[in-house]
Amino acid sequence: MKYGAIALGAAVLATMSGGASAQNLVKVDGSSTVFPITEAMAEEFQIEYRGKYRVTVGVSGSGGGFKKFCRGEVDVTNASRPIRPSEVEQCRENGIEFMELPVALDALAVVINPKNDWVDYLTVDELKKMWEPDAQRKINNWSQIREGFPDKSLDLFGAGADSGTYDYFTQAIVGKEHASRGDYTASEDDNVLVMGVANTLGGLGFFGFAYLSENTDKLKPVPIKYKDADPVLPSIETAKNATYQPLSRPLFVYVSKTAADNREVVQKFVDYFLDPELAPELVSEVGYVPLPAEAYDLARKAFDDRVTGTVFENGSQIGISIEDLLRSERSR
Amino acid sequence: MKSYSQIVQGNKRTDATFVAAGLVLLLIAMLTLLALIFDLASQGIPRLSWDFLTNFPSRRAARAGILSSWVGTSLVMIVTAALAIPLGVAAGVYLEEYAPKNWVTDVIEINVTNLAGVPSIIYGLLALGLFVYGLNMGQTVLVAGMVLALLILPIVIVATREGIRSLPQSMREGSYALGADQWQTVSRHILPSARPAILTGAIVGLSRAIGETAPVITIGALTFIAFLPPSPVQDTIPFINFDWLESPFSLLPIQMFNWISRPQASFHVNAAAAGLVLLSMTLLMNSVAIYIRYRLRKVL
């Protein structure tokens, strides 16, 4: 026991090396949703460049990440929603130019309790009826949603209002970012939402696909009917081929142009996200949907040409495939 | 008219009821705690291993470890203790032994007591505004230690004062009678006698600080960091350096929160194991304090 402690101390002191130089350090912050992807990239990156380059990743949420990014405190920020016009303005004021890179896709799954036998699918309008601000204290029973649904109480579970997931969901379903009823059970920890829906017969919740795929025994996904298309279940395929609409969303990293131009370490690190071999493998390993192959090429070109700014000047765009997004980026 | 024996019996019954009620309440509290620890241990113990302590975080739960976070936690606690204990004890001694009884002292006293109840996130915001942005100190081990020291300072001050106040006045008078001045009285008699109480206060404070997440997240503690701060010892003169104070860091509670909010159950096991390590670090601190206190009692 005593020798174990001494050995541990010695091992730690040996691993503690000389000072870390800022030149060889990439600072990343931002969304907790994107964190597992960046963690995987950073892990591989540090294994390849052991002792030469270093990465730190913080989690302050998409919004918190943009705040730090536009103040120039970090080189890269993770985001589960596109940058907002107000944040673009913030960056511009501080002279921060940035490249916007999609790094993965995620299907926002709408889930219900497995014992719920009355929901075969839900339309976007029905979801809107549940979640819009006007529903507050008025819509609380399944029978209000569709003719024929039973008289069962409707309990909603969703991401907290600070998260990019919430922003995307409200944009896609309610039609306005950051607008929803306030009387639902909100948590930043999606496992709490999983437990909530799993224990409530009339429960309905939304969260990233990984939380559904890890809990298929406790939850039932709802097929979503968008416009005139047939209802579609969330899955890797339907997210990738853009048929799961409007709830498949791109995940992003934003890279500071100054940092990428001036510091080799930032350039090298971003290469990992764009590597058509490595990136899809790491992205699927942590439970997200890789971009289609063509998207990696388009993103690579956009990054190499230093195409700055965002294609989302008017907020999230719903129902567009990632390739089309990247093409519109190229055409600017 | 009740007889004496009836009154005595009645009182005995009241006593017995009170003891039983107290025991039941104590058991409820203990059982809840034990159930929590048992749950944590049954999940976490199989995951504990040498690798778990010496690996950096990883996307693969089975390969992930807590090296950067437990080292971060230890270093931050060293800074916190080094700042909070001397400052807190000095402030407590001043307030109890030197401060004149006037309204300034009253204001300070009320403030100190109130500060103990301020939510920790407020300290985080203060540190973010003052240390990180105002003084431009960055998001470092030093700043984290400073904010946690601020957080537990009231606890240490109050404990010191309570300890000093419980000493008999005759001790001071005896010291003065032998010709000692005030500083000699404080340093040779008051402080050594109050040491057990002060130690208890310091440990209660540090145990609170080690589990804090909100203020350190506010000042920018990291979630993924796969390198350690620079070593405090070096092979050239002067053999020690303080570069580690300037290093970015992660902490055990932050690593735990990240793991517990992941979708994969295997990460939840990691969180339980990290929780056990955090618990044992707290326990270790406590036992060191108890040991020191025991030794001091023997000396006195």
Side-chain angles (χ1 to χ4, degrees):
Chain A
M1 180 63 211
K2 198 171 162 193
Y3 291 110
I6 292 170
L8 188 62
V12 167
L13 283 181
T15 330
M16 288 172 128
S17 56
S21 108
Q23 186 68 23
N24 292 327
L25 177 73
V26 193
K27 286 175 150 183
V28 189
D29 211 304
S31 160
S32 59
T33 308
V34 188
F35 174 82
I37 299 176
T38 306
E39 182 189 46
M41 301 287 172
E43 189 188 355
E44 288 304 311
F45 182 71
Q46 294 210 0
I47 290 172
E48 181 169 344
Y49 297 100
R50 179 161 301 164
K52 189 173 178 211
Y53 294 140
R54 290 166 162 185
V55 184
T56 62
V57 191
V59 172
S60 15
S62 298
F66 280 126
K67 271 199 199 101
K68 288 189 178 170
F69 182 73
C70 294
R71 259 194 237 122
E73 289 172 27
V74 295
D75 310 307
V76 176
T77 190
N78 300 323
S80 60
R81 58 160 172 83
I83 189 167
R84 288 201 192 112
S86 60
E87 291 158 343
V88 174
E89 187 50 40
Q90 196 77 49
C91 275
R92 192 176 299 136
E93 273 171 23
N94 294 329
I96 308 278
E97 285 188 283
F98 57 84
M99 279 80 77
E100 175 182 71
L101 300 176
V103 292
L105 300 171
D106 185 23
L108 276 186
V110 175
V111 298
I112 51 176
N113 191 284
K115 292 207 190 75
N116 178 327
D117 51 6
W118 59 88
V119 172
D120 42 359
Y121 69 91
L122 286 170
T123 68
V124 172
D125 282 338
E126 285 163 346
L127 282 173
K128 183 177 178 189
K129 202 189 268 179
M130 295 176 193
W131 285 95
E132 66 189 349
D134 285 345
Q136 180 133 342
R137 274 187 250 127
K138 273 188 270 175
I139 307 290
N140 42 33
N141 196 296
W142 281 95
S143 59
Q144 291 166 295
I145 303 301
R146 191 192 295 172
E147 202 82 1
F149 277 175
D151 178 20
K152 291 260 162 49
S153 94
L154 169 69
D155 298 295
L156 296 173
F157 298 84
D162 286 333
S163 71
T165 304
Y166 172 82
D167 290 335
Y168 190 87
F169 185 81
T170 46
Q171 171 85 33
I173 297 299
V174 180
K176 186 165 179 288
E177 189 172 289
H178 221 70
S180 85
R181 65 194 300 171
D183 55 345
Y184 68 97
T185 308
S187 175
E188 300 299 336
D189 180 354
D190 290 326
N191 290 310
V192 174
L193 306 177
V194 169
M195 291 315 289
V197 177
N199 293 329
T200 318
L201 176 61
L204 178 138
F206 67 87
F207 35 71
F209 184 68
Y211 290 87
L212 168 64
S213 56
E214 292 290 330
N215 294 290
T216 43
D217 50 334
K218 295 187 205 126
L219 302 168
K220 191 158 104 182
V222 180
I224 304 296
K225 183 171 163 60
Y226 180 55
K227 293 184 177 160
D228 297 326
D230 286 335
V232 179
L233 270 173
S235 72
I236 306 249
E237 291 70 41
T238 54
K240 211 168 182 173
N241 64 21
T243 52
Y244 182 65
Q245 291 295 354
L247 290 175
S248 19
R249 58 167 174 175
L251 304 175
F252 303 93
V253 298
Y254 287 77
V255 184
S256 151
K257 181 167 183 286
T258 326
D261 283 347
N262 296 336
R263 303 211 329 265
E264 198 192 23
V265 58
V266 178
Q267 173 77 43
K268 284 250 159 63
F269 184 54
V270 172
D271 284 347
Y272 267 63
F273 286 95
L274 299 172
D275 187 324
E277 301 283 315
L278 180 73
E281 191 190 313
L282 293 183
V283 165
S284 347
E285 201 181 326
V286 296
Y288 290 101
V289 184
L291 303 177
E294 195 199 349
Y296 283 101
D297 293 341
L298 288 165
R300 165 99 261 165
K301 278 203 199 85
F303 182 73
D304 286 347
D305 295 351
R306 297 289 190 264
V307 179
T308 58
T310 173
V311 291
F312 300 97
E313 264 128 19
N314 305 310
S316 283
Q317 301 190 23
I318 309 300
I320 298 182
S321 79
I322 191 74
E323 292 98 318
D324 290 341
L325 268 181
L326 284 161
R327 276 192 210 97
S328 70
E329 187 153 344
R330 293 292 293 167
S331 63
R332 272 177 312 131
Chain B
M1 179 87 192
K2 282 184 185 168
S3 71
Y4 274 128
S5 67
Q6 274 175 321
I7 294 176
V8 169
Q9 245 176 3
N11 284 352
K12 273 188 178 159
R13 220 174 295 130
T14 319
D15 279 352
T17 324
F18 186 77
V19 168
L23 259 175
V24 169
L25 289 176
L26 188 71
L27 273 179
I28 293 175
M30 291 299 290
L31 283 179
T32 321
L33 186 68
L34 282 178
L36 278 173
I37 293 180
F38 179 77
D39 185 47
L40 201 67
S42 63
Q43 270 200 60
I45 284 181
R47 183 67 188 83
L48 282 178
S49 66
W50 181 258
D51 284 345
F52 188 67
L53 293 177
T54 55
N55 278 3
F56 287 115
S58 163
R59 66 180 182 283
R60 298 202 186 112
R63 213 171 57 189
I66 53 168
L67 180 59
S68 38
S69 41
W70 78 252
V71 171
T73 291
S74 314
L75 293 178
V76 169
M77 291 319 291
I78 291 174
V79 177
T80 306
L83 291 174
I85 297 176
L87 265 178
V89 171
V93 168
Y94 171 78
L95 283 173
E96 209 51 42
E97 294 288 321
Y98 291 88
K101 296 274 172 267
N102 59 20
W103 65 271
V104 182
T105 315
D106 287 347
V107 169
I108 296 178
E109 274 186 29
I110 294 171
N111 267 313
V112 168
T113 330
N114 278 335
L115 276 178
V118 170
S120 57
I121 183 82
I122 307 286
Y123 288 95
L125 291 172
L126 168 87
L128 182 72
L130 186 66
F131 302 145
V132 178
Y133 292 131
L135 302 175
N136 227 341
M137 295 174 68
Q139 290 130 358
T140 59
V141 170
L142 179 63
V143 171
M146 284 164 70
V147 62
L148 292 180
L150 278 182
L151 181 75
I152 67 169
L153 207 47
I155 304 177
V156 181
I157 295 177
V158 170
T160 306
R161 299 189 58 186
E162 294 294 330
I164 293 177
R165 210 174 297 167
S166 66
L167 300 176
Q169 188 63 25
S170 55
M171 183 184 260
R172 291 183 191 86
E173 284 162 357
S175 175
Y176 289 135
L178 290 172
D181 61 21
Q182 193 170 12
W183 172 243
Q184 286 167 332
T185 306
V186 167
S187 62
R188 295 187 197 165
H189 298 287
I190 305 286
L191 270 184
S193 311
R195 209 147 36 184
I198 294 173
L199 264 174
T200 309
I203 285 304
V204 170
L206 288 176
S207 307
R208 172 169 178 201
I210 201 172
E212 277 293 340
T213 327
V216 276
I217 285 200
T218 318
I219 61 155
L222 297 160
T223 309
F224 175 87
I225 174 164
F227 56 89
L228 292 178
S231 168
V233 286
Q234 59 191 25
D235 47 11
T236 51
I237 294 166
F239 301 114
I240 54 168
N241 72 63
F242 289 98
D243 288 347
W244 55 273
L245 287 172
E246 304 289 318
S247 176
F249 65 98
S250 181
L251 297 177
L252 273 173
I254 295 175
Q255 183 66 64
M256 278 176 71
F257 179 72
N258 177 262
W259 277 338
I260 200 75
S261 57
R262 291 292 191 91
Q264 294 86 1
S266 45
F267 278 113
H268 304 167
V269 173
N270 281 5
L276 282 179
V277 174
L278 189 61
L279 265 182
S280 21
M281 286 176 77
T282 316
L283 218 63
L284 192 75
M285 278 193 332
N286 275 308
S287 41
V288 168
I290 290 170
Y291 177 71
I292 297 177
R293 209 159 54 194
Y294 173 73
R295 288 284 301 267
L296 288 176
R297 284 229 175 96
K298 275 212 302 206
V299 172
L300 280 175

